[in-house]
mmCIF file of all heavy atoms in Angstrom:
data_model
loop_
_atom_site.group_PDB
_atom_site.id
_atom_site.type_symbol
_atom_site.label_atom_id
_atom_site.label_comp_id
_atom_site.label_asym_id
_atom_site.label_seq_id
_atom_site.Cartn_x
_atom_site.Cartn_y
_atom_site.Cartn_z
ATOM 1 N N VAL M 62 -13.203 9.975 13.416
ATOM 2 C CA VAL M 62 -12.203 9.648 12.392
ATOM 3 C C VAL M 62 -10.999 10.553 12.600
ATOM 4 O O VAL M 62 -11.116 11.783 12.522
ATOM 5 C CB VAL M 62 -12.775 9.807 10.971
ATOM 6 C CG1 VAL M 62 -11.735 9.512 9.917
ATOM 7 C CG2 VAL M 62 -14.003 8.899 10.798
ATOM 8 N N THR M 63 -9.842 9.964 12.880
ATOM 9 C CA THR M 63 -8.642 10.701 13.221
ATOM 10 C C THR M 63 -8.144 11.565 12.067
ATOM 11 O O THR M 63 -7.795 12.722 12.253
ATOM 12 C CB THR M 63 -7.534 9.713 13.658
ATOM 13 O OG1 THR M 63 -8.028 8.953 14.760
ATOM 14 C CG2 THR M 63 -6.261 10.428 14.033
ATOM 15 N N ALA M 64 -8.039 10.990 10.867
ATOM 16 C CA ALA M 64 -7.535 11.706 9.711
ATOM 17 C C ALA M 64 -7.951 10.972 8.460
ATOM 18 O O ALA M 64 -8.411 9.828 8.506
ATOM 19 C CB ALA M 64 -6.001 11.808 9.775
ATOM 20 N N THR M 65 -7.774 11.644 7.335
ATOM 21 C CA THR M 65 -8.006 11.019 6.026
ATOM 22 C C THR M 65 -6.641 10.734 5.418
ATOM 23 O O THR M 65 -5.800 11.627 5.329
ATOM 24 C CB THR M 65 -8.819 11.951 5.128
ATOM 25 O OG1 THR M 65 -10.091 12.173 5.734
ATOM 26 C CG2 THR M 65 -9.011 11.347 3.744
ATOM 27 N N ILE M 66 -6.424 9.503 5.009
ATOM 28 C CA ILE M 66 -5.162 9.082 4.429
ATOM 29 C C ILE M 66 -5.367 8.782 2.941
ATOM 30 O O ILE M 66 -6.211 7.964 2.583
ATOM 31 C CB ILE M 66 -4.610 7.824 5.152
ATOM 32 C CG1 ILE M 66 -4.392 8.140 6.635
ATOM 33 C CG2 ILE M 66 -3.350 7.328 4.486
ATOM 34 C CD1 ILE M 66 -4.054 6.947 7.471
ATOM 35 N N ALA M 67 -4.607 9.475 2.099
ATOM 36 C CA ALA M 67 -4.680 9.251 0.673
ATOM 37 C C ALA M 67 -3.723 8.127 0.305
ATOM 38 O O ALA M 67 -2.559 8.123 0.707
ATOM 39 C CB ALA M 67 -4.286 10.517 -0.078
ATOM 40 N N VAL M 68 -4.240 7.157 -0.431
ATOM 41 C CA VAL M 68 -3.439 6.038 -0.890
ATOM 42 C C VAL M 68 -3.548 5.933 -2.405
ATOM 43 O O VAL M 68 -4.495 6.461 -2.998
ATOM 44 C CB VAL M 68 -3.889 4.698 -0.223
ATOM 45 C CG1 VAL M 68 -3.634 4.713 1.263
ATOM 46 C CG2 VAL M 68 -5.351 4.404 -0.520
ATOM 47 N N LYS M 69 -2.610 5.239 -2.998
ATOM 48 C CA LYS M 69 -2.635 5.087 -4.460
ATOM 49 C C LYS M 69 -3.840 4.272 -4.906
ATOM 50 O O LYS M 69 -4.447 4.562 -5.923
ATOM 51 C CB LYS M 69 -1.345 4.448 -4.934
ATOM 52 C CG LYS M 69 -1.183 4.440 -6.418
ATOM 53 C CD LYS M 69 0.200 3.993 -6.800
ATOM 54 C CE LYS M 69 0.368 4.054 -8.315
ATOM 55 N NZ LYS M 69 1.692 3.657 -8.716
ATOM 56 N N ASP M 70 -4.210 3.239 -4.137
ATOM 57 C CA ASP M 70 -5.291 2.333 -4.530
ATOM 58 C C ASP M 70 -6.022 1.839 -3.277
ATOM 59 O O ASP M 70 -5.448 1.099 -2.474
ATOM 60 C CB ASP M 70 -4.698 1.167 -5.315
ATOM 61 C CG ASP M 70 -5.746 0.204 -5.843
ATOM 62 O OD1 ASP M 70 -6.860 0.156 -5.307
ATOM 63 O OD2 ASP M 70 -5.427 -0.525 -6.792
ATOM 64 N N VAL M 71 -7.272 2.238 -3.128
ATOM 65 C CA VAL M 71 -8.065 1.849 -1.959
ATOM 66 C C VAL M 71 -8.274 0.336 -1.882
ATOM 67 O O VAL M 71 -8.241 -0.245 -0.805
ATOM 68 C CB VAL M 71 -9.420 2.590 -1.930
ATOM 69 C CG1 VAL M 71 -10.408 1.948 -0.958
ATOM 70 C CG2 VAL M 71 -9.217 4.049 -1.546
ATOM 71 N N GLU M 72 -8.449 -0.320 -3.019
ATOM 72 C CA GLU M 72 -8.645 -1.784 -3.022
ATOM 73 C C GLU M 72 -7.405 -2.475 -2.476
ATOM 74 O O GLU M 72 -7.504 -3.420 -1.681
ATOM 75 C CB GLU M 72 -8.968 -2.289 -4.436
ATOM 76 C CG GLU M 72 -10.272 -1.769 -5.004
ATOM 77 C CD GLU M 72 -11.500 -2.211 -4.252
ATOM 78 O OE1 GLU M 72 -11.476 -3.260 -3.578
ATOM 79 O OE2 GLU M 72 -12.519 -1.483 -4.327
ATOM 80 N N GLU M 73 -6.228 -2.034 -2.882
ATOM 81 C CA GLU M 73 -4.986 -2.608 -2.368
ATOM 82 C C GLU M 73 -4.861 -2.336 -0.870
ATOM 83 O O GLU M 73 -4.489 -3.227 -0.088
ATOM 84 C CB GLU M 73 -3.784 -2.004 -3.093
ATOM 85 C CG GLU M 73 -2.455 -2.487 -2.575
ATOM 86 C CD GLU M 73 -1.281 -1.752 -3.206
ATOM 87 O OE1 GLU M 73 -1.448 -1.064 -4.226
ATOM 88 O OE2 GLU M 73 -0.171 -1.870 -2.655
ATOM 89 N N ALA M 74 -5.183 -1.126 -0.447
ATOM 90 C CA ALA M 74 -5.147 -0.805 0.982
ATOM 91 C C ALA M 74 -6.128 -1.669 1.769
ATOM 92 O O ALA M 74 -5.799 -2.138 2.856
ATOM 93 C CB ALA M 74 -5.472 0.681 1.186
ATOM 94 N N HIS M 75 -7.306 -1.901 1.205
ATOM 95 C CA HIS M 75 -8.300 -2.749 1.836
ATOM 96 C C HIS M 75 -7.734 -4.155 2.106
ATOM 97 O O HIS M 75 -7.820 -4.668 3.227
ATOM 98 C CB HIS M 75 -9.538 -2.837 0.929
ATOM 99 C CG HIS M 75 -10.616 -3.731 1.453
ATOM 100 N ND1 HIS M 75 -10.669 -5.072 1.166
ATOM 101 C CD2 HIS M 75 -11.676 -3.456 2.238
ATOM 102 C CE1 HIS M 75 -11.715 -5.599 1.760
ATOM 103 N NE2 HIS M 75 -12.358 -4.631 2.404
ATOM 104 N N ARG M 76 -7.132 -4.737 1.092
ATOM 105 C CA ARG M 76 -6.561 -6.086 1.240
ATOM 106 C C ARG M 76 -5.457 -6.100 2.298
ATOM 107 O O ARG M 76 -5.425 -6.974 3.170
ATOM 108 C CB ARG M 76 -6.021 -6.588 -0.099
ATOM 109 C CG ARG M 76 -7.088 -6.958 -1.116
ATOM 110 C CD ARG M 76 -6.512 -7.628 -2.339
ATOM 111 N NE ARG M 76 -5.570 -6.778 -3.064
ATOM 112 C CZ ARG M 76 -5.905 -5.879 -3.980
ATOM 113 N NH1 ARG M 76 -7.180 -5.719 -4.291
ATOM 114 N NH2 ARG M 76 -4.970 -5.169 -4.601
ATOM 115 N N GLU M 77 -4.552 -5.146 2.238
ATOM 116 C CA GLU M 77 -3.409 -5.131 3.150
ATOM 117 C C GLU M 77 -3.847 -4.851 4.593
ATOM 118 O O GLU M 77 -3.397 -5.514 5.529
ATOM 119 C CB GLU M 77 -2.390 -4.091 2.711
ATOM 120 C CG GLU M 77 -1.097 -4.181 3.483
ATOM 121 C CD GLU M 77 0.033 -3.384 2.874
ATOM 122 O OE1 GLU M 77 0.026 -3.165 1.652
ATOM 123 O OE2 GLU M 77 0.914 -2.977 3.638
ATOM 124 N N LEU M 78 -4.737 -3.881 4.773
ATOM 125 C CA LEU M 78 -5.188 -3.552 6.130
ATOM 126 C C LEU M 78 -5.970 -4.710 6.750
ATOM 127 O O LEU M 78 -5.776 -5.025 7.932
ATOM 128 C CB LEU M 78 -6.036 -2.274 6.109
ATOM 129 C CG LEU M 78 -5.248 -1.000 5.810
ATOM 130 C CD1 LEU M 78 -6.193 0.126 5.384
ATOM 131 C CD2 LEU M 78 -4.430 -0.589 7.017
ATOM 132 N N ALA M 79 -6.824 -5.359 5.973
ATOM 133 C CA ALA M 79 -7.583 -6.503 6.491
ATOM 134 C C ALA M 79 -6.625 -7.623 6.882
ATOM 135 O O ALA M 79 -6.801 -8.273 7.930
ATOM 136 C CB ALA M 79 -8.598 -6.964 5.448
ATOM 137 N N ALA M 80 -5.605 -7.868 6.064
ATOM 138 C CA ALA M 80 -4.638 -8.930 6.372
ATOM 139 C C ALA M 80 -3.843 -8.618 7.619
ATOM 140 O O ALA M 80 -3.395 -9.527 8.326
ATOM 141 C CB ALA M 80 -3.681 -9.115 5.185
ATOM 142 N N LEU M 81 -3.709 -7.327 7.960
ATOM 143 C CA LEU M 81 -2.972 -6.922 9.144
ATOM 144 C C LEU M 81 -3.861 -6.855 10.406
ATOM 145 O O LEU M 81 -3.386 -6.493 11.454
ATOM 146 C CB LEU M 81 -2.323 -5.552 8.921
ATOM 147 C CG LEU M 81 -1.157 -5.560 7.915
ATOM 148 C CD1 LEU M 81 -0.760 -4.117 7.572
ATOM 149 C CD2 LEU M 81 0.038 -6.327 8.473
ATOM 150 N N GLY M 82 -5.130 -7.211 10.257
ATOM 151 C CA GLY M 82 -6.025 -7.248 11.417
ATOM 152 C C GLY M 82 -6.860 -6.024 11.628
ATOM 153 O O GLY M 82 -7.543 -5.905 12.641
ATOM 154 N N ALA M 83 -6.851 -5.073 10.681
ATOM 155 C CA ALA M 83 -7.725 -3.893 10.790
ATOM 156 C C ALA M 83 -9.157 -4.309 10.481
ATOM 157 O O ALA M 83 -9.391 -5.226 9.688
ATOM 158 C CB ALA M 83 -7.227 -2.807 9.842
ATOM 159 N N GLN M 84 -10.099 -3.573 11.081
ATOM 160 C CA GLN M 84 -11.518 -3.821 10.832
ATOM 161 C C GLN M 84 -12.015 -2.816 9.800
ATOM 162 O O GLN M 84 -11.903 -1.607 10.025
ATOM 163 C CB GLN M 84 -12.323 -3.679 12.118
ATOM 164 C CG GLN M 84 -13.799 -3.833 11.920
ATOM 165 C CD GLN M 84 -14.598 -3.442 13.158
ATOM 166 O OE1 GLN M 84 -14.057 -2.985 14.150
ATOM 167 N NE2 GLN M 84 -15.909 -3.617 13.084
ATOM 168 N N ILE M 85 -12.552 -3.306 8.697
ATOM 169 C CA ILE M 85 -13.117 -2.419 7.681
ATOM 170 C C ILE M 85 -14.542 -2.095 8.145
ATOM 171 O O ILE M 85 -15.399 -2.981 8.175
ATOM 172 C CB ILE M 85 -13.122 -3.091 6.281
ATOM 173 C CG1 ILE M 85 -11.746 -3.665 5.938
ATOM 174 C CG2 ILE M 85 -13.627 -2.108 5.241
ATOM 175 C CD1 ILE M 85 -10.577 -2.712 6.001
ATOM 176 N N ILE M 86 -14.757 -0.844 8.494
ATOM 177 C CA ILE M 86 -16.074 -0.416 9.010
ATOM 178 C C ILE M 86 -17.038 -0.134 7.864
ATOM 179 O O ILE M 86 -18.205 -0.486 7.921
ATOM 180 C CB ILE M 86 -15.930 0.822 9.900
ATOM 181 C CG1 ILE M 86 -15.079 0.470 11.140
ATOM 182 C CG2 ILE M 86 -17.279 1.386 10.317
ATOM 183 C CD1 ILE M 86 -14.710 1.667 11.996
ATOM 184 N N ALA M 87 -16.554 0.525 6.814
ATOM 185 C CA ALA M 87 -17.406 0.858 5.663
ATOM 186 C C ALA M 87 -16.546 0.940 4.417
ATOM 187 O O ALA M 87 -15.425 1.415 4.446
ATOM 188 C CB ALA M 87 -18.100 2.195 5.896
ATOM 189 N N GLY M 88 -17.106 0.474 3.316
ATOM 190 C CA GLY M 88 -16.445 0.608 2.006
ATOM 191 C C GLY M 88 -15.610 -0.608 1.663
ATOM 192 O O GLY M 88 -15.657 -1.612 2.338
ATOM 193 N N PRO M 89 -14.831 -0.446 0.613
ATOM 194 C CA PRO M 89 -14.683 0.746 -0.226
ATOM 195 C C PRO M 89 -15.954 1.056 -1.025
ATOM 196 O O PRO M 89 -16.648 0.159 -1.467
ATOM 197 C CB PRO M 89 -13.558 0.358 -1.196
ATOM 198 C CG PRO M 89 -12.894 -0.826 -0.627
ATOM 199 C CD PRO M 89 -13.907 -1.510 0.229
ATOM 200 N N VAL M 90 -16.202 2.344 -1.151
ATOM 201 C CA VAL M 90 -17.352 2.843 -1.915
ATOM 202 C C VAL M 90 -16.889 3.989 -2.816
ATOM 203 O O VAL M 90 -15.935 4.701 -2.493
ATOM 204 C CB VAL M 90 -18.492 3.341 -1.003
ATOM 205 C CG1 VAL M 90 -19.057 2.207 -0.174
ATOM 206 C CG2 VAL M 90 -18.048 4.472 -0.103
ATOM 207 N N PRO M 91 -17.573 4.167 -3.960
ATOM 208 C CA PRO M 91 -17.211 5.285 -4.835
ATOM 209 C C PRO M 91 -17.716 6.606 -4.263
ATOM 210 O O PRO M 91 -18.747 6.663 -3.584
ATOM 211 C CB PRO M 91 -17.947 4.950 -6.147
ATOM 212 C CG PRO M 91 -19.017 3.986 -5.780
ATOM 213 C CD PRO M 91 -18.597 3.287 -4.518
#
Side-chain angles (χ1 to χ4, degrees):
V62 178
T63 302
T65 299
I66 299 172
V68 294
K69 189 171 183 179
D70 184 337
V71 164
E72 296 295 336
E73 177 186 346
H75 177 271
R76 289 188 298 274
E77 189 167 333
L78 290 163
L81 291 170
Q84 176 190 5
I85 310 304
I86 296 172
V90 297

